[in-house]
Amino acid sequence: MKLAVQDIFLDFLSLFYPRYCLACSGSLLKGEEIICTECLLEMPKTNFHKQAFNPLYDRLSLRMPLKHAFAYYHFKKGSRVQQLLHQLKYKNHPEIGVKLGKVLAQELLVSGYDQTYHLVVPVPLHPSRKRSRGYNQSEEFAKGVSEGLNIPYTDSFVKRKVKTQTQTRKSKLNRWRNVSEVFEMKDATVVKGKHILLVDDVVTTGATLEACANALLQSGCSQVSIACIAVA
């Protein structure tokens, strides 16, 4: 009876404060949270986690030693994926990152990656940028992946030494120069001998991931794998 009254109250509340899907802006139905079921089903998945040697792995493994490389969605301008990531990064919706991290983790579990990684590490933001935004979108994604895979995550071992300029309008070479020496480890002993799952929001050229992965590898971790929300 108590649950039925609560449901009626929530239905009444939604008449005045409707909830919207943050990908398509359509109304959320009862039981849906953050992203509607239609968007979760129809946004273009890469299925890279089902292929050991997928296009993202082939591209990134030429530049750094990797065990795995995944991106969950294909990113295209004007798409629902772009809208969702814009909401995550610029519109104060960190819950999107957690949600997508859990979604990807479930896919990884189904594909047999449940005992593969020891630690989830998000690509860090410079402290000043994190303060202005209020959170690191990659860390929110890491929280969801960590919870879904039941392994720890941390954002305290790798730090950004330099506040880099935005990557959006840079060439591939300039992106690499922009991040090639900006990461360092605070405590290398914590990652020593571990298989690290390095996570970020979007892969473009991969320059940021390469620089961060190299910092982890130089600190003695056994392997690095990469998982991102989307690949451009």
Side-chain angles (χ1 to χ4, degrees):
M1 181 65 179
K2 184 178 179 181
L3 186 59
V5 172
Q6 185 180 33
D7 286 345
I8 292 170
F9 174 74
L10 291 174
D11 289 342
F12 177 77
L13 195 65
S14 69
L15 293 174
F16 298 94
Y17 300 99
R19 301 177 306 122
Y20 296 103
C21 171
L22 294 175
C24 70
S25 300
S27 295
L28 291 171
L29 302 176
K30 185 183 293 186
E32 294 180 335
E33 294 290 339
I34 304 169
I35 308 167
C36 70
T37 303
E38 181 178 345
C39 284
L40 285 173
L41 291 173
E42 294 187 0
M43 287 191 297
K45 300 179 182 66
T46 66
N47 289 316
F48 286 169
H49 60 285
K50 298 179 181 179
Q51 310 167 48
F53 302 104
N54 59 68
L56 182 62
Y57 175 85
D58 292 344
R59 192 170 103 198
L60 296 181
S61 62
L62 294 173
R63 298 156 51 181
M64 54 187 136
L66 292 176
K67 181 65 175 178
H68 306 122
F70 315 120
Y72 193 53
Y73 293 117
H74 290 290
F75 179 95
K76 291 184 180 179
K77 289 185 177 180
S79 68
R80 284 179 286 186
V81 174
Q82 183 186 33
Q83 166 69 7
L84 196 59
L85 291 172
H86 184 79
Q87 294 283 338
L88 167 63
K89 194 168 182 177
Y90 301 113
K91 297 298 183 179
N92 196 31
H93 284 291
E95 69 273 17
I96 293 172
V98 178
K99 170 74 172 181
L100 293 178
K102 291 178 181 178
V103 170
L104 176 59
Q106 183 59 41
E107 295 276 3
L108 293 177
L109 289 175
V110 171
S111 297
Y113 292 94
D114 52 322
Q115 301 293 323
T116 304
Y117 311 110
H118 301 123
L119 185 67
V120 183
V121 174
V123 170
L125 280 179
H126 189 271
S128 65
R129 188 162 288 157
K130 186 174 180 179
R131 282 194 299 272
S132 65
R133 186 170 296 164
Y135 57 92
N136 174 5
Q137 70 278 2
S138 298
E139 182 184 348
E140 300 304 315
F141 182 52
K143 290 176 184 177
V145 173
S146 169
E147 183 177 338
L149 292 180
N150 195 29
I151 57 174
Y153 92 92
T154 181
D155 68 334
S156 62
F157 301 140
V158 185
K159 72 174 183 178
R160 228 180 242 262
K161 298 184 292 182
V162 181
K163 182 180 179 181
T164 56
Q165 298 174 344
T166 181
Q167 298 278 68
T168 307
R169 294 181 175 85
K170 291 183 179 293
S171 68
K172 185 174 180 179
L173 177 59
N174 285 336
R175 284 179 185 232
W176 184 85
R177 287 172 174 165
N178 195 39
V179 298
S180 59
E181 296 181 351
V182 301
F183 298 111
E184 70 177 5
M185 296 296 299
K186 293 181 181 179
D187 183 1
T189 61
V190 182
V191 300
K192 191 173 181 62
K194 290 184 170 64
H195 186 171
I196 304 299
L197 184 61
L198 177 64
V199 303
D200 204 1
D201 53 352
V202 183
V203 188
T204 50
T205 64
T208 301
L209 288 164
E210 180 182 2
C212 196
N214 283 333
L216 289 164
L217 289 164
Q218 289 166 12
S219 298
C221 69
S222 62
Q223 292 176 311
V224 172
S225 290
I226 285 172
C228 298
I229 296 173
V231 57

